Amino acid sequence: VRQLKEFVVRYSDYDGSSRHLRNWIRKDLIPIAVANPEVSIRTEIKRCKHPYFRGIYANGNTKTIGVKNLGEEDLTSYFNDLRNQVGKKVNQRKTKTTSHKPSIQGVWNERMDLINLEMEVQHEY
């Protein structure tokens, strides 16, 4: 049983970042709606804002994905990703991951000048 209950597409009818999305709505949205009758699909027009997809799940959680300037096949892929998810919240790590063993190569510094570095090797026996 799919957990996605409502799929919202917000886009602009004028702005360029929604250009591919408008073509996707005209061409692909009705076949997707027919293939997924358990999902309620809604479109909203909002000018001067970048487009996004929002999935509303059975447990009440929502997930939003920005889709500005994406191609039509990417938009279908993002819809499928939202449809196939369970709707759990993404848990972020509370602490940063640190290593207990320092690097044997030393600390990296972006100002190191390795191009003009001259090295001299001497063999002692």
Side-chain angles (χ1 to χ4, degrees):
V1 176
R2 302 235 187 249
Q3 297 297 308
L4 182 66
K5 296 299 173 194
E6 187 175 0
F7 178 66
V8 180
V9 181
R10 181 176 278 188
Y11 69 101
S12 171
D13 61 343
Y14 176 75
D15 296 320
S17 63
S18 298
R19 178 179 62 243
H20 297 297
L21 181 59
R22 288 190 298 268
N23 292 336
W24 182 79
I25 288 172
R26 286 186 205 108
K27 188 174 81 172
D28 295 336
L29 192 59
I30 292 175
I32 285 174
V34 170
N36 299 285
E38 69 278 0
V39 178
S40 170
I41 297 178
R42 186 177 74 206
T43 61
E44 299 175 352
I45 296 177
K46 180 74 176 171
R47 285 191 172 180
C48 301
K49 298 287 182 186
H50 291 304
Y52 63 80
F53 288 167
R54 176 171 288 153
I56 302 170
Y57 294 90
N59 60 7
N61 291 338
T62 62
K63 286 193 178 183
T64 304
I65 300 176
V67 292
K68 96 175 164 177
N69 296 325
L70 290 179
E72 295 175 20
E73 57 278 347
D74 294 332
L75 294 169
T76 303
S77 174
Y78 277 125
F79 168 76
N80 290 332
D81 288 344
L82 281 175
R83 182 193 64 191
N84 295 334
Q85 291 179 7
V86 178
K88 289 184 181 178
K89 288 283 186 186
V90 177
N91 294 331
Q92 294 183 353
R93 298 187 83 118
K94 303 268 187 227
T95 60
K96 294 182 179 179
T97 304
T98 57
S99 174
H100 297 291
K101 297 181 181 180
S103 172
I104 61 171
Q105 299 175 349
V107 179
W108 182 80
N109 184 356
E110 64 185 33
R111 299 190 66 170
M112 292 177 71
D113 188 16
L114 298 178
I115 295 173
N116 297 326
L117 182 68
E118 293 183 17
M119 297 180 70
E120 200 172 301
V121 179
Q122 295 179 354
H123 294 282
E124 295 181 12
Y125 294 101

